[in-house]
């Protein structure tokens, strides 16, 4: 089975950061994803609001650098939450557990910090917004220049 979702959109609310009793950070927010299309020569758009959850260091970083309106790309897995409401009705919704993210836009659009975004946070892809978001991972690499002891950088 394969469960992977990639979304690009804007945060529709500030991140709500909390900590478990064990000290792990959990950040909750929502992302607004808009699809533009034409139907019968009429331009239309449809927006989906999807709850998202960050965990660990990525929750703390997202809380520090992102705020309502921040543009980002998230990659994660879809999960279904189920519960019974106060009236005894079974309820459910889909949400995304964020595994990787890219902050898009300039620092002025990423909350109130003017700093860069750093890097090296495990599987998270944080980088300065002035860098190209999508990098060509299939760029030409001269594999002959690497000895058999060294690893090839891909």
């Amino acid at each position: 089975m394969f469960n992977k979702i990639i979304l690009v959109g804007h945060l529709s609310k500030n991140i709500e950061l909390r900590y478990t009793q064990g000290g792990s950070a959990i950040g909750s927010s929502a992302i607004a994803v808009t699809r533009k299309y034409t139907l019968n020569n009429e331009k239309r758009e449809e927006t989906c609001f999807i709850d998202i959850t960050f965990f660990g260091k990525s929750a703390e970083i997202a809380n520090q650098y992102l705020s309502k309106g921040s543009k980002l790309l998230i990659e994660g897995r879809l999960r279904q939450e189920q519960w019974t409401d106060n009236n005894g009705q079974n309820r459910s919704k889909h949400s995304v557990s964020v595994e990787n993210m890219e902050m898009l836009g300039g620092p002025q659009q990423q909350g109130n910090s003017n700093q860069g975004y750093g890097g090296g946070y495990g599987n998270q892809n944080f980088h300065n917004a002035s860098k190209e978001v999508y990098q060509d991972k299939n760029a030409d690499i001269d594999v002959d220049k690497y000895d058999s002891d060294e690893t090839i950088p891909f």
Side-chain angles (χ1 to χ4, degrees):
M1 300 294 177
F2 187 73
N3 182 354
K4 181 73 88 178
I5 186 166
I6 299 172
L7 300 170
V8 175
H10 295 271
L11 284 184
S12 61
K13 60 183 180 177
N14 288 329
I15 295 171
E16 298 169 11
L17 186 66
R18 65 185 193 281
Y19 291 88
T20 65
Q21 289 181 349
S24 297
I26 300 173
S28 301
S29 188
I31 189 170
V33 180
T34 301
R35 173 182 166 246
K36 296 180 181 181
Y37 62 99
T38 303
L39 181 65
N40 298 328
N41 293 325
E42 181 183 335
K43 292 185 179 186
R44 296 184 179 194
E45 64 179 49
E46 123 191 316
T47 302
C48 292
F49 296 91
I50 301 143
D51 289 337
I52 58 176
T53 307
F54 302 91
F55 297 96
K57 188 70 173 174
S58 66
E60 293 172 338
I61 297 296
N63 184 57
Q64 181 178 359
Y65 291 107
L66 300 174
S67 60
K68 180 179 178 178
S70 295
K71 187 174 183 179
L72 74 156
L73 177 148
I74 61 168
E75 180 181 344
R77 67 184 154 68
L78 196 59
R79 65 170 207 236
Q80 184 177 22
E81 300 175 26
Q82 298 177 341
W83 71 96
T84 304
D85 68 11
N86 294 337
N87 297 326
Q89 297 291 319
N90 290 334
R91 308 282 303 211
S92 67
K93 71 174 182 175
H94 285 93
S95 64
V96 174
S97 293
V98 178
E99 295 171 346
N100 296 300
M101 76 168 158
E102 294 275 346
M103 297 178 191
L104 307 175
Q108 67 279 5
Q109 296 174 337
Q110 306 297 343
N112 55 12
S113 175
N114 290 326
Q115 302 174 14
Y117 304 124
Y121 296 103
N123 288 333
Q124 310 312 315
N125 295 319
F126 305 100
H127 61 77
N128 192 311
S130 64
K131 293 182 183 175
E132 185 66 29
V133 174
Y134 298 102
Q135 296 178 354
D136 183 9
K137 295 185 180 182
N138 296 320
D140 292 335
I141 297 173
D142 183 6
V143 293
D144 294 329
K145 78 176 189 176
Y146 295 94
D147 296 334
S148 60
D149 302 29
E150 296 179 15
T151 54
I152 300 173
F154 56 82

